[in-house]
Amino acid sequence: MKTLRGLKLSRLRPWQVPQLTPIEQQFVDRHDVRTDLAFEAHQVASQAGQHALPGVTTQVEDLGFAQVTRIHIETDLGAAAMGKAKGRYVTIQAPGLKRRDRTLEQQVSEVLASEIEQYLKRWQIGPDQPVLVVGLGNWNATPDNVGPLTVSKLLVTRHLYEYQALNEEILGKMRPLAALSPGVLGLTGVETAEIVQGVVERVRPALVICVDALASMSVERIGTTIQVADAGISPGSGVGNTRRGLNRETLGVPVLAMGVPTVIYATTIVSEAVDQLLTSIAAPIYPLDAESRRNLIREVLGESMGTLVVTPKEVDVMVESISDILADGLNEALHPGISAQEAAAIR
Amino acid sequence: MKTLRGLKLSRLRPWQVPQLTPIEQQFVDRHDVRTDLAFEAHQVASQAGQHALPGVTTQVEDLGFAQVTRIHIETDLGAAAMGKAKGRYVTIQAPGLKRRDRTLEQQVSEVLASEIEQYLKRWQIGPDQPVLVVGLGNWNATPDNVGPLTVSKLLVTRHLYEYQALNEEILGKMRPLAALSPGVLGLTGVETAEIVQGVVERVRPALVICVDALASMSVERIGTTIQVADAGISPGSGVGNTRRGLNRETLGVPVLAMGVPTVIYATTIVSEAVDQLLTSIAAPIYPLDAESRRNLIREVLGESMGTLVVTPKEVDVMVESISDILADGLNEALHPGISAQEAAAIR
Amino acid sequence: MKTLRGLKLSRLRPWQVPQLTPIEQQFVDRHDVRTDLAFEAHQVASQAGQHALPGVTTQVEDLGFAQVTRIHIETDLGAAAMGKAKGRYVTIQAPGLKRRDRTLEQQVSEVLASEIEQYLKRWQIGPDQPVLVVGLGNWNATPDNVGPLTVSKLLVTRHLYEYQALNEEILGKMRPLAALSPGVLGLTGVETAEIVQGVVERVRPALVICVDALASMSVERIGTTIQVADAGISPGSGVGNTRRGLNRETLGVPVLAMGVPTVIYATTIVSEAVDQLLTSIAAPIYPLDAESRRNLIREVLGESMGTLVVTPKEVDVMVESISDILADGLNEALHPGISAQEAAAIR
Amino acid sequence: MKTLRGLKLSRLRPWQVPQLTPIEQQFVDRHDVRTDLAFEAHQVASQAGQHALPGVTTQVEDLGFAQVTRIHIETDLGAAAMGKAKGRYVTIQAPGLKRRDRTLEQQVSEVLASEIEQYLKRWQIGPDQPVLVVGLGNWNATPDNVGPLTVSKLLVTRHLYEYQALNEEILGKMRPLAALSPGVLGLTGVETAEIVQGVVERVRPALVICVDALASMSVERIGTTIQVADAGISPGSGVGNTRRGLNRETLGVPVLAMGVPTVIYATTIVSEAVDQLLTSIAAPIYPLDAESRRNLIREVLGESMGTLVVTPKEVDVMVESISDILADGLNEALHPGISAQEAAAIR
């Protein structure tokens, strides 16, 4: 993305602030927080589990080294309450990943592989059907590089099948796998969804898996939480512009979205600070209406508040490690004859 | 592109040896050299200009700092003689580019812009019609990175038009420009042509411009010669597999191919050495038939002879400088209100 | 930096939280904010200019497109008040840089060149004396890549003098310039200062210029403010460990430090939010002592609070543009025969 | 390395053609080939083993998957015959590496580790003594990126010891390891040897290990051969300029040089072609003196012949795989408590 003498290009980049769907916007308006994690949205909407949400079922599994939460949003009511589209969201939380423990990383990638396999089974996608993995995000900005980096670590095989270049024994261990990192709108001038739609029409995979960097509400979940969901994703989607979503409707095949939070919106951090402070100083006496609250946040963050993110200084090490876990999980789940150990070796 | 325990993947990569079209293969068989430059093919086929080629017209313009050669292959006979598809090939040769002379680089990029504008005029593509530039090649291998690097230096604007984000005055200076570097087959598992076809169907540009690294026959032309042609290109195209070409037939819109040679096939170098030696030692007494000659080359280069390329050690500096020139030429030619000086400033 | 099975390496990285000098720590304790900009420290310490600071003189020049502030900390008392070492700090603030205006970028780089030239004159460093530029920071993390990226755009010439490879006319236009990006401690295992000291002893430059990414207190100054100072810098310097500073004492030659803020510490953002809120809700009734305040910030940011930074999502575009400005300014100021226009052309 | 308007910088880069030491130059003059591998020099000088070389002992070990050759140049006479400095050269040849067989890669890295350990034992370097690894070469040019890429995969630990950040159990498994990729002269303006000398004086390691890309004479050895030697290396060293070598004399500590050939000089390829042709056509009748031969090569390769290299098209995949093997071998050999399996996992 190059710049031009005298052009005020920064004002011209509304698309760099990911737009929200109506359902997401309502959630933000109501709760004043913004998260890509269904787990967090559920925490907020249910007031940390105090209230049941109609049309939403949750199930928690504790593995010791990690906690797996499965949230199923079954009705429109549930979707509205959560600010998320209907679908199945799996969250793998492993706080220990902060310690860069290689053994734990392998355990988590195996859990991830197993969850991906559940989705494949549910969609009845056989071991020889082709899959396309799409790495979303901007490879030039470290916190946004999770998708492209993961894609670069996959065992891409689709061309081997096209060219009949392998013997049957080896072919039986693998699935035709294609992978693409289309780049962000500012780099290509083309909507990500348009590029993916075009490629899907040609490649005709049985499944599209999107890998992306996410935003969380909580520092603790940065780099330690993986979300897998079948609800599709909407990069930059806005009112009346549904053609841009990456989901079953737009692509014609099931879409699995995977991601790990690498940033928190600065507005979320400030908003949380305000909450904590109000609580600690007996805020009821000085209630803050939504409008005043937003003005306060704007004063702290300035006009650019929407595009500011909070991220760890060592984000490069974190993103490298995350993409190892995601790639191992994908290689193991997608190539049926490849063991967890082999998955780690081929990365 | 990852590897797998025990897989002999290198044997499995026939696609990494760019396959030739039948017409190209015949040329190689006849002349024992391989070049992407029409200028060189013409030199060979016409025995350095001693024989006129039927169905081929050439025109040479000397600009002092550069020589522009326009070769028009008008008939199938001409195409067969040249080993190139029918079309108009422009070669800009500026041996001084070796010296990394910034003034000369700017002069050459202006000549390039002017040649691109000729093609636009011939196709009657107006200043407000959208164009898609495709950067071919592997960004992980320096000599093959000309296309992706050039694309990264373009003033991408298509999304500004889609979002109506600019005022009319500025819009009038620019054209909707999209740009994409799809990556090579080994990275994606998908034919480049398939990806481009899919995107073209979505973006519907009036013209596709492909930028690629080329192979030359001569050391002198490495990094000093630009070719622009309207004949399309066939990355990895083979017999009976025409869907893989990037040309008007497959994409439905005109295709302009641009490139600069960064390598020489090692077979060409050795072959040339053999020729020179045979000449210098009065070879007629010991003629070498085509078969013996190919055996000799195979002995020197081993089994991998087809994939060995000759390139300068300082290839990184050369590729950086080449992509500057190509990007300047493209930015100037495609954005009507942008001067040569501005083109250099925005890179 | 690789990780090891079972090692809790993240806990082992105290060095990734840049340690403060005693004087800096006192400032943080007193004012609860952290900034690398003398301009901001002065704003805080003088309560936005309401109080004069003893031993500190300031001078403001308004250029229309930019405001240049020169702060001279002349005494230890002034240094203590400011939380900065004694020395001359120049701040160039150009809020318009947010708009990516190429003309403005060139104007700012000329102002920068002129300020650098003032320092050269003050130190009586002649146009033929060698200079070493050091790019500090981690090239793997976009917000920290300002130094290495700037260094990669410099016209490095020292080896041309060593090899007597140029004629006298050209030599007269340039200065022997060396440049180095040593990488961060986590990548090399060696203190940056140790590497620079070793190289300085060999190269024996008349001046060392360090380029680094900085932290600001204010969103408005991210990417829009350049600081140049002669006070040296202390990457990771702590109590009793003065050998690690990059300054005249440790290197034996003058040190000029240049930088642009690309991040804000998350603690600063939250702290500012607290202030604004307390002000807006008549805080005097509910005063918050320093301890409670810090606890509040810790609750919001968690244990990792010290290493969390706030940065714009489009940080890659910003860092690219910043490094252009810094490199242009350095190339113009350091190579006497090179005009501003040429400086931009050679980048 | 940037360029300047009107400067003929390419002519100004004699340093980009690695200069030869006198002993190397004599070898090239005598045999007309150029190689960094002692194994190949020995083949040439001994006429494929037909003649014993005085002062040179060789030992060959066949491991099935690889062949290890140990050449010991003990006298000046031997050094002169070989065109290499006195010392112990180990060559590990594993032609199967071409197939990218992950199991074989691990076997080879274990052999490498064992050979490195032999050198450590000979120098009596204990398991807790610090080591500095230097990645030589230009990270911007893929075939020259072996050293920097290997260094980026090492388990760097020296800072953990400096900061006493680890418990004793873990410290006992590792050695203080520092690593540095100084960049080439054209990027820094400083001789690599000067930078390394400066850092060695500060870091005071017990051993310096240099990792570099090498040149071979034979296509078969590209990417399939590892050389380890204790004779030091001389990047750009020339007559009367010994300060630039990286060896025990200049650095004051033992130097181990490791490398893998990624290129062949184009002159070598052409020279070999000439030889083969002359043999095949009964050359005795038309003998070619050294002068004519060199003229012939120059005619084929042009003026730039010295800097042209032959390399595989898929050089990016090869360099990635080579650096995995080298890094695994180094991590295993240098960190005493780290097994081969762990070495692969931490990369």
Side-chain angles (χ1 to χ4, degrees):
Chain A
M1 177 60 207
K2 293 296 148 179
T3 59
L4 185 60
R5 176 192 302 261
L7 288 195
K8 305 187 174 181
L9 283 188
S10 69
R11 261 196 328 132
L12 306 175
R13 293 204 203 127
W15 61 87
Q16 295 230 358
V17 194
Q19 283 179 296
L20 300 173
T21 60
I23 196 176
E24 288 167 348
Q25 189 61 57
Q26 284 164 26
F27 183 86
V28 169
D29 288 348
R30 206 172 330 125
H31 300 286
D32 249 331
V33 291
R34 191 159 162 192
T35 174
D36 291 328
L37 296 177
F39 177 86
E40 292 183 341
H42 187 268
Q43 289 282 98
V44 168
S46 69
Q47 293 189 277
Q50 288 178 30
H51 303 290
L53 298 181
V56 179
T57 62
T58 64
Q59 182 208 338
V60 182
E61 187 181 350
D62 197 330
L63 301 171
F65 61 88
Q67 180 187 296
V68 180
T69 308
R70 295 183 186 82
I71 296 175
H72 190 172
I73 306 180
E74 299 179 74
T75 66
D76 288 337
L77 204 63
M82 296 269 295
K84 299 273 161 215
K86 283 187 286 185
R88 294 170 191 272
Y89 298 80
V90 176
T91 312
I92 306 167
Q93 293 187 69
L97 286 178
K98 244 186 223 167
R99 299 189 309 262
R100 311 280 163 248
D101 178 334
R102 184 74 197 127
T103 307
L104 177 58
E105 288 179 9
Q106 288 177 354
Q107 288 173 312
V108 171
S109 71
E110 284 177 48
V111 174
L112 171 61
S114 152
E115 294 297 329
I116 297 170
E117 284 160 11
Q118 299 297 317
Y119 283 100
L120 293 176
K121 196 176 291 174
R122 202 172 292 130
W123 284 314
Q124 298 187 304
I125 295 172
D128 53 353
Q129 288 188 273
V131 169
L132 170 67
V133 181
V134 178
L136 300 174
N138 179 358
W139 48 73
N140 292 328
T142 314
D144 206 19
N145 192 20
V146 169
L149 203 58
T150 300
V151 153
S152 77
K153 296 174 180 181
L154 295 179
L155 180 62
V156 169
T157 54
R158 177 175 172 271
H159 51 321
L160 305 179
Y161 291 78
E162 292 277 304
Y163 286 82
Q164 296 161 339
L166 290 170
N167 63 47
E168 297 227 341
E169 187 208 349
I170 289 172
L171 288 182
K173 294 184 73 178
M174 301 191 292
R175 169 200 306 279
L177 182 62
L180 193 74
S181 293
V184 290
L185 180 59
L187 293 170
T188 62
V190 185
E191 286 287 345
T192 303
E194 290 181 278
I195 298 175
V196 176
Q197 283 166 13
V199 174
V200 164
E201 276 164 25
R202 293 278 156 184
V203 170
R204 302 219 167 273
L207 169 68
V208 170
I209 301 181
C210 298
V211 185
D212 202 2
L214 304 178
S216 168
M217 285 173 47
S218 155
V219 173
E220 298 308 308
R221 290 195 193 90
I222 296 297
T224 66
T225 301
I226 301 174
Q227 175 170 283
V228 187
D230 60 6
I233 57 174
S234 321
S237 71
V239 183
N241 196 342
T242 51
R243 98 196 127 95
R244 291 188 221 136
L246 293 170
N247 50 52
R248 191 162 205 158
E249 286 68 45
T250 57
L251 298 183
V253 295
V255 174
L256 194 65
M258 287 174 49
V260 171
T262 59
V263 299
I264 307 171
Y265 282 103
T267 47
T268 302
I269 289 274
V270 173
S271 180
E272 205 181 323
V274 167
D275 279 348
Q276 301 243 8
L277 184 58
L278 291 179
T279 307
S280 74
I281 61 174
I285 310 177
Y286 295 94
L288 208 62
D289 62 54
E291 184 59 25
S292 313
R293 184 200 193 86
R294 226 157 287 144
N295 284 341
L296 175 67
I297 296 175
R298 185 168 292 121
E299 255 177 89
V300 176
L301 296 179
E303 277 182 41
S304 9
M305 51 180 275
T307 53
L308 287 170
V309 293
V310 178
T311 198
K313 280 203 84 172
E314 66 270 37
V315 62
D316 58 320
V317 179
M318 188 180 79
V319 166
E320 191 69 59
S321 152
I322 285 171
S323 60
D324 280 357
I325 298 173
L326 297 184
D328 285 4
L330 284 166
N331 279 327
E332 187 188 347
L334 296 177
H335 294 308
I338 300 209
S339 70
Q341 200 181 353
E342 284 173 321
I346 62 182
R347 195 192 337 116
Chain B
M1 177 60 205
K2 294 295 147 179
T3 62
L4 183 60
R5 179 191 301 261
L7 287 195
K8 306 186 175 182
L9 281 189
S10 69
R11 259 196 330 132
L12 305 175
R13 293 207 202 124
W15 60 88
Q16 294 229 358
V17 195
Q19 285 179 296
L20 299 173
T21 60
I23 197 177
E24 288 167 349
Q25 188 61 56
Q26 285 164 25
F27 183 86
V28 170
D29 288 348
R30 207 174 326 127
H31 299 287
D32 249 332
V33 291
R34 191 157 161 193
T35 174
D36 291 328
L37 296 177
F39 177 86
E40 292 183 342
H42 187 268
Q43 289 282 99
V44 169
S46 69
Q47 295 189 280
Q50 287 177 31
H51 303 291
L53 297 180
V56 179
T57 61
T58 64
Q59 182 210 340
V60 182
E61 187 181 351
D62 197 330
L63 302 172
F65 61 90
Q67 181 187 295
V68 180
T69 308
R70 295 183 186 82
I71 296 176
H72 190 174
I73 306 180
E74 299 178 74
T75 66
D76 288 336
L77 204 63
M82 295 269 296
K84 299 272 161 219
K86 284 186 287 185
R88 296 170 189 271
Y89 298 80
V90 176
T91 313
I92 306 167
Q93 293 187 70
L97 287 177
K98 246 186 223 166
R99 299 189 310 260
R100 309 281 164 246
D101 177 333
R102 184 71 199 131
T103 307
L104 177 57
E105 288 179 9
Q106 288 177 353
Q107 287 173 312
V108 171
S109 71
E110 285 177 48
V111 173
L112 171 61
S114 150
E115 293 298 328
I116 297 170
E117 283 160 11
Q118 298 297 316
Y119 283 99
L120 293 177
K121 196 176 291 177
R122 204 172 292 130
W123 284 314
Q124 299 187 303
I125 294 171
D128 54 354
Q129 288 188 271
V131 169
L132 170 67
V133 180
V134 178
L136 300 173
N138 179 357
W139 48 74
N140 291 327
T142 314
D144 207 18
N145 191 21
V146 170
L149 203 57
T150 300
V151 153
S152 77
K153 297 175 180 179
L154 294 180
L155 180 62
V156 169
T157 54
R158 176 176 172 270
H159 51 322
L160 305 180
Y161 289 80
E162 292 277 305
Y163 286 84
Q164 298 162 336
L166 291 171
N167 64 46
E168 297 229 341
E169 185 208 352
I170 289 170
L171 289 181
K173 293 183 75 177
M174 302 192 291
R175 170 200 305 278
L177 182 61
L180 193 75
S181 293
V184 291
L185 180 59
L187 293 170
T188 62
V190 186
E191 286 288 347
T192 303
E194 290 182 278
I195 298 176
V196 176
Q197 283 166 14
V199 174
V200 164
E201 276 165 24
R202 292 279 156 182
V203 171
R204 301 217 168 276
L207 169 69
V208 171
I209 300 182
C210 299
V211 184
D212 203 0
L214 305 178
S216 169
M217 289 172 45
S218 155
V219 172
E220 298 309 309
R221 288 192 196 91
I222 297 295
T224 66
T225 300
I226 301 172
Q227 177 171 282
V228 188
D230 59 7
I233 58 174
S234 319
S237 70
V239 182
N241 197 340
T242 51
R243 97 195 129 95
R244 290 190 220 135
L246 293 169
N247 51 52
R248 190 163 206 156
E249 287 67 46
T250 57
L251 298 183
V253 296
V255 174
L256 194 65
M258 287 175 49
V260 171
T262 60
V263 299
I264 307 171
Y265 282 102
T267 48
T268 302
I269 290 274
V270 173
S271 180
E272 203 181 326
V274 168
D275 279 350
Q276 300 244 7
L277 185 58
L278 291 179
T279 307
S280 74
I281 62 176
I285 310 177
Y286 296 92
L288 208 62
D289 62 55
E291 184 60 24
S292 315
R293 182 200 195 86
R294 227 159 285 145
N295 285 340
L296 175 67
I297 295 175
R298 184 168 292 121
E299 256 178 87
V300 175
L301 295 180
E303 276 182 42
S304 9
M305 52 180 273
T307 53
L308 287 170
V309 293
V310 178
T311 198
K313 281 203 84 170
E314 65 271 33
V315 61
D316 58 320
V317 180
M318 187 180 79
V319 167
E320 190 69 58
S321 150
I322 285 171
S323 59
D324 280 355
I325 298 173
L326 296 183
D328 286 2
L330 283 166
N331 279 328
E332 186 187 346
L334 295 176
H335 295 306
I338 300 208
S339 70
Q341 200 182 352
E342 284 173 321
I346 62 183
R347 195 193 339 115
Chain C
M1 177 61 205
K2 293 296 149 178
T3 60
L4 185 58
R5 180 190 301 262
L7 287 195
K8 305 187 175 182
L9 282 188
S10 68
R11 260 197 329 133
L12 306 174
R13 293 206 201 124
W15 60 88
Q16 295 230 359
V17 195
Q19 285 178 296
L20 300 172
T21 60
I23 196 177
E24 288 167 348
Q25 188 61 56
Q26 285 165 25
F27 183 85
V28 170
D29 289 347
R30 206 173 328 125
H31 299 286
D32 249 332
V33 291
R34 192 157 159 192
T35 174
D36 291 329
L37 295 178
F39 177 86
E40 291 183 341
H42 187 267
Q43 289 282 99
V44 168
S46 69
Q47 293 189 281
Q50 287 177 31
H51 303 290
L53 298 180
V56 179
T57 62
T58 65
Q59 181 208 338
V60 182
E61 186 180 352
D62 196 330
L63 302 173
F65 61 89
Q67 180 187 297
V68 181
T69 308
R70 296 184 186 81
I71 296 175
H72 191 176
I73 307 179
E74 299 179 74
T75 66
D76 289 336
L77 203 63
M82 295 269 294
K84 300 274 161 215
K86 283 187 285 185
R88 294 169 191 272
Y89 298 80
V90 176
T91 313
I92 305 169
Q93 293 187 71
L97 286 178
K98 245 185 224 168
R99 298 189 310 261
R100 309 283 164 243
D101 178 334
R102 184 72 200 130
T103 308
L104 177 57
E105 287 179 11
Q106 289 177 352
Q107 287 173 312
V108 171
S109 71
E110 285 177 49
V111 173
L112 171 61
S114 151
E115 293 297 327
I116 297 170
E117 284 160 11
Q118 298 297 318
Y119 284 99
L120 293 176
K121 197 176 290 175
R122 203 172 292 129
W123 284 317
Q124 299 186 306
I125 294 171
D128 53 354
Q129 288 188 273
V131 168
L132 171 67
V133 180
V134 178
L136 301 173
N138 179 358
W139 48 74
N140 291 327
T142 314
D144 207 20
N145 192 20
V146 170
L149 204 57
T150 299
V151 153
S152 78
K153 297 175 179 180
L154 295 179
L155 180 62
V156 169
T157 53
R158 177 175 173 269
H159 51 321
L160 305 178
Y161 290 79
E162 292 278 305
Y163 286 82
Q164 295 162 340
L166 289 171
N167 64 45
E168 297 230 340
E169 185 209 350
I170 288 171
L171 289 180
K173 293 184 73 178
M174 300 191 292
R175 168 200 306 278
L177 182 62
L180 193 75
S181 292
V184 290
L185 181 59
L187 292 170
T188 61
V190 186
E191 286 287 346
T192 303
E194 290 182 278
I195 298 175
V196 176
Q197 283 165 14
V199 174
V200 163
E201 276 165 24
R202 291 281 156 179
V203 171
R204 303 219 166 275
L207 169 68
V208 171
I209 300 181
C210 298
V211 184
D212 202 1
L214 305 179
S216 168
M217 288 172 47
S218 156
V219 172
E220 298 308 309
R221 288 191 195 92
I222 297 297
T224 65
T225 301
I226 302 172
Q227 176 171 282
V228 188
D230 60 5
I233 58 174
S234 320
S237 71
V239 182
N241 196 343
T242 51
R243 97 196 128 98
R244 290 190 222 135
L246 292 170
N247 51 51
R248 192 164 205 154
E249 286 68 44
T250 57
L251 298 182
V253 295
V255 174
L256 193 64
M258 284 174 51
V260 170
T262 60
V263 298
I264 307 172
Y265 282 103
T267 48
T268 301
I269 289 275
V270 173
S271 180
E272 205 180 324
V274 169
D275 279 351
Q276 301 244 7
L277 184 58
L278 292 179
T279 306
S280 74
I281 61 174
I285 310 178
Y286 296 92
L288 207 64
D289 62 55
E291 184 60 24
S292 315
R293 182 200 195 87
R294 228 158 283 146
N295 284 341
L296 174 68
I297 295 175
R298 185 169 293 121
E299 254 177 89
V300 176
L301 296 179
E303 275 184 41
S304 7
M305 53 180 275
T307 54
L308 287 171
V309 292
V310 178
T311 197
K313 280 204 86 172
E314 65 271 33
V315 61
D316 58 320
V317 179
M318 187 181 79
V319 167
E320 191 68 59
S321 149
I322 285 171
S323 59
D324 281 355
I325 299 173
L326 296 184
D328 285 3
L330 283 166
N331 279 328
E332 186 188 346
L334 296 177
H335 294 307
I338 299 207
S339 71
Q341 200 181 353
E342 284 173 321
I346 62 184
R347 194 193 337 117
Chain D
M1 177 59 206
K2 293 296 148 178
T3 60
L4 185 59
R5 180 191 300 260
L7 287 195
K8 305 187 175 183
L9 282 188
S10 70
R11 260 195 330 130
L12 306 175
R13 292 203 205 129
W15 60 88
Q16 295 231 357
V17 195
Q19 284 179 297
L20 300 172
T21 60
I23 195 178
E24 288 167 348
Q25 188 62 55
Q26 285 164 26
F27 182 87
V28 170
D29 288 347
R30 209 174 326 124
H31 300 285
D32 248 331
V33 292
R34 190 159 161 190
T35 174
D36 291 329
L37 296 176
F39 177 87
E40 292 183 341
H42 187 267
Q43 289 283 97
V44 168
S46 68
Q47 295 189 280
Q50 289 178 30
H51 304 290
L53 298 180
V56 179
T57 62
T58 65
Q59 182 209 338
V60 182
E61 187 180 351
D62 197 329
L63 302 172
F65 61 89
Q67 181 186 293
V68 180
T69 308
R70 295 182 186 82
I71 296 175
H72 191 174
I73 307 180
E74 299 179 74
T75 66
D76 289 336
L77 203 63
M82 295 269 295
K84 300 272 163 218
K86 284 187 286 186
R88 294 169 192 273
Y89 298 80
V90 176
T91 312
I92 306 168
Q93 293 187 69
L97 287 178
K98 243 183 223 168
R99 298 191 309 262
R100 311 279 164 247
D101 178 334
R102 184 73 199 131
T103 307
L104 177 57
E105 288 179 9
Q106 288 176 354
Q107 288 173 312
V108 171
S109 70
E110 285 177 48
V111 173
L112 171 61
S114 151
E115 293 297 328
I116 297 170
E117 284 160 10
Q118 299 297 317
Y119 283 100
L120 294 176
K121 197 175 291 176
R122 203 172 291 129
W123 283 316
Q124 299 187 304
I125 295 172
D128 54 353
Q129 288 188 273
V131 169
L132 170 68
V133 180
V134 178
L136 299 174
N138 179 358
W139 49 74
N140 291 328
T142 314
D144 207 19
N145 191 21
V146 170
L149 204 58
T150 300
V151 153
S152 77
K153 297 174 178 179
L154 295 179
L155 180 62
V156 168
T157 54
R158 178 177 173 269
H159 51 321
L160 305 178
Y161 291 79
E162 292 277 305
Y163 286 82
Q164 297 163 335
L166 290 171
N167 65 47
E168 297 228 344
E169 185 208 353
I170 288 171
L171 288 181
K173 293 183 74 177
M174 301 192 291
R175 168 200 304 280
L177 182 62
L180 192 76
S181 292
V184 290
L185 180 59
L187 292 169
T188 61
V190 186
E191 286 287 346
T192 303
E194 290 180 278
I195 297 175
V196 176
Q197 283 166 15
V199 174
V200 165
E201 277 165 24
R202 292 279 155 181
V203 171
R204 301 218 169 276
L207 169 68
V208 170
I209 299 181
C210 299
V211 184
D212 202 1
L214 305 179
S216 167
M217 286 172 48
S218 156
V219 172
E220 298 308 308
R221 290 193 193 91
I222 297 296
T224 64
T225 301
I226 301 173
Q227 176 171 282
V228 188
D230 61 6
I233 59 174
S234 319
S237 70
V239 183
N241 197 343
T242 51
R243 100 195 127 97
R244 289 188 223 139
L246 292 170
N247 50 51
R248 192 165 204 152
E249 287 68 46
T250 56
L251 298 183
V253 296
V255 174
L256 193 65
M258 285 174 51
V260 170
T262 59
V263 299
I264 307 171
Y265 282 103
T267 48
T268 302
I269 290 273
V270 172
S271 180
E272 205 181 323
V274 167
D275 279 350
Q276 300 243 7
L277 184 59
L278 291 178
T279 307
S280 74
I281 61 174
I285 311 177
Y286 296 93
L288 207 63
D289 62 53
E291 184 60 23
S292 314
R293 182 199 193 86
R294 224 158 288 144
N295 284 339
L296 175 67
I297 295 174
R298 184 169 292 119
E299 256 178 86
V300 176
L301 296 179
E303 275 183 42
S304 10
M305 52 181 276
T307 54
L308 287 170
V309 292
V310 178
T311 198
K313 280 204 84 174
E314 64 271 35
V315 62
D316 59 319
V317 179
M318 187 180 81
V319 166
E320 191 69 58
S321 151
I322 285 170
S323 59
D324 280 356
I325 299 173
L326 297 183
D328 285 3
L330 284 166
N331 279 328
E332 188 187 345
L334 296 176
H335 294 305
I338 300 212
S339 71
Q341 200 182 352
E342 284 173 321
I346 62 184
R347 192 196 337 119

